[in-house]
């Protein structure tokens, strides 16, 4: 039973997850994060789910960790926080994850955006790591993922000043893949999810895994990793189906095997 999320299946193979704490600008309290980690964990092994879209509402994607909840934690509480395990489960989700972002994507909200493979943002969305204004720093990957996505100068500016950047700037810098009018953001993200749901599922998962590896390793190691995944895919029925369909001039039907 979900309390802080809404989940629906708007099309075959597509799961839509809406963060649903509008009264707190979708602040990511621990229970919400736990629900998200569990839902993604279940979706990882559910062959009916081929792509996931995560979104908030018009005003906020998510305004960060729940500051009121954080205020109650001492140092030991922070050290033993269940959030760490929730974030790790979210990061381990192996299927395509698309973020549809309108409004504030701040702190943990921006860090959640960076867990997505593809990010569609409304023109008025704002991305930021304002933790410095609370006397802390990002704690769910903000510094590390932002610097890889945006480079040192802009990441440092965002983390050190706490000032957000616009969707336009986020697009130029590579944090966002596309900008839309705000009312079209979810529609565009769902269209992308539809496209992905028709692709070969194992190939998509391998693509995600290999792309993620590029953040972790040096070039020759990454190239070797890519080659292994490429060879592994030669053993799938979907690879035969994809190639046969091309040669027979028809649309392929993939079964994820
Ligand atoms: N946690 C808890 N509640 C939050 C929240 C948050 N991160 N962000 C907003 N809210 C609540 C507000 O307290 C307010 O609730 P009440 O009406 O009960 O007071 C409600 O949402 C609406 O917010 P505002 O009245 O502040 O709305 P605004 O339009 O004036 O300002 C805002 C919007 C600029 C986003 C402002 O709410 C804000 O600065 N929020 C905090 C952003 C932040 O600091 N995020 C980082 C958190 S730390 C973190 O994320 C660390 C990590 O992951 C590891």
């Amino acid at each position: 039973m979900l309390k802080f999320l809404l989940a629906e299946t708007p099309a075959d193979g597509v799961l839509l997850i809406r963060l649903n704490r509008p009264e707190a600008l979708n602040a990511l309290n621990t229970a919400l994060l736990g629900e998200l980690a569990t839902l993604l964990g279940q979706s990882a092994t559910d062959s009916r789910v081929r792509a996931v879209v995560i979104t908030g509402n018009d005003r906020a994607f998510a305004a960060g960790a729940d500051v009121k909840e954080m205020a109650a934690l001492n140092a030991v509480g922070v050290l033993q926080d269940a959030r760490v395990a929730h974030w790790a489960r979210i990061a381990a989700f192996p299927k395509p994850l698309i973020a549809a972002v309108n409004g504030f994507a701040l702190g943990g909200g921006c860090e959640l955006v960076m867990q997505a493979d593809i990010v569609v943002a409304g023109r008025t969305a704002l991305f930021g790591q304002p933790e410095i204004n609370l006397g802390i720093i990002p704690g769910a990957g903000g510094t590390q993922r932002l610097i890889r996505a945006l480079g040192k100068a802009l990441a440092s500016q965002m983390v050190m000043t706490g000032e957000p950047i616009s969707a336009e700037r986020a697009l130029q810098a590579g944090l966002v893949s596309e900008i839309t009018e705000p009312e079209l953001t979810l529609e565009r993200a769902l269209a992308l999810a539809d496209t992905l749901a028709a692709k070969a599922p194992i190939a998509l998962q391998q693509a995600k895994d290999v792309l993620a590896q590029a953040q972790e390793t040096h070039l020759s190691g990454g190239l070797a990793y890519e080659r292994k995944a490429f060879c592994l895919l030669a053993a799938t029925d979907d690879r035969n189906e994809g190639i046969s369909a091309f040669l027979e001039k028809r649309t392929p039907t993939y079964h994820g095997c």
Side-chain angles (χ1 to χ4, degrees):
M1 180 67 185
L2 297 171
K3 187 171 173 203
F4 298 115
L5 303 176
L6 299 173
E8 55 190 284
T9 307
D12 265 4
V14 177
L15 175 69
L16 169 61
I17 301 175
R18 294 178 195 266
L19 307 176
N20 189 36
R21 288 191 74 208
E23 71 288 352
L25 301 184
N26 290 333
L28 306 169
N29 64 11
T30 304
L32 184 157
L33 219 50
E35 284 186 9
L36 183 59
T38 300
L39 185 55
L40 289 177
Q42 289 163 352
S43 304
T45 52
D46 182 345
S47 59
R48 291 167 302 180
V49 178
R50 291 190 173 193
V52 174
V53 173
I54 184 162
T55 195
N57 55 43
D58 293 349
R59 199 164 164 222
F61 177 75
D66 190 307
V67 179
K68 292 168 193 167
E69 194 181 63
M70 266 172 49
L73 287 182
N74 62 16
V76 174
V78 173
L79 189 68
Q80 297 176 338
D81 204 335
R83 303 173 67 82
V84 178
H86 297 333
W87 278 115
R89 285 160 72 206
I90 294 166
F93 182 59
K95 297 180 183 179
L97 181 62
I98 301 174
V101 183
N102 273 317
F104 299 109
L106 302 177
C110 190
E111 288 166 317
L112 182 55
V113 166
M114 287 188 279
Q115 297 281 358
D117 303 298
I118 297 174
V119 181
V120 182
R123 200 166 291 288
T124 51
L126 285 175
F127 299 83
Q129 299 289 164
E131 288 88 345
I132 199 76
N133 298 328
L134 302 172
I136 55 173
I137 63 169
T143 58
Q144 303 305 297
R145 290 201 175 90
L146 212 54
I147 207 162
R148 284 165 171 77
L150 307 176
K152 178 168 179 269
L154 185 53
S156 302
Q157 185 174 328
M158 288 174 69
V159 170
M160 290 179 173
T161 67
E163 289 170 8
I165 59 170
S166 66
E168 194 64 52
R169 185 106 200 258
L171 178 71
Q172 287 162 5
L175 184 61
V176 157
S177 20
E178 272 188 36
I179 289 186
T180 62
E181 293 311 317
E183 62 278 14
L184 299 178
T185 310
L186 182 56
E187 190 179 314
R188 176 61 187 146
L190 289 172
L192 283 166
D194 253 352
T195 301
L196 296 182
K199 308 282 185 210
I202 301 176
L204 277 177
Q205 290 194 32
Q206 289 300 311
K208 176 164 178 159
D209 185 36
V210 172
L211 286 162
Q213 193 66 20
Q215 308 272 22
E216 304 280 349
T217 193
H218 53 89
L219 183 60
S220 58
L223 291 171
Y225 196 77
E226 179 193 80
R227 191 67 207 166
K228 287 265 164 64
F230 186 82
C231 294
L232 185 151
L233 288 169
T236 63
D237 290 349
D238 282 348
R239 184 246 198 194
N240 296 336
E241 167 64 5
I243 292 176
S244 300
F246 174 79
L247 296 175
E248 293 160 16
K249 301 188 188 305
R250 62 176 172 83
T251 305
T253 303
Y254 295 115
H255 296 289
C257 54

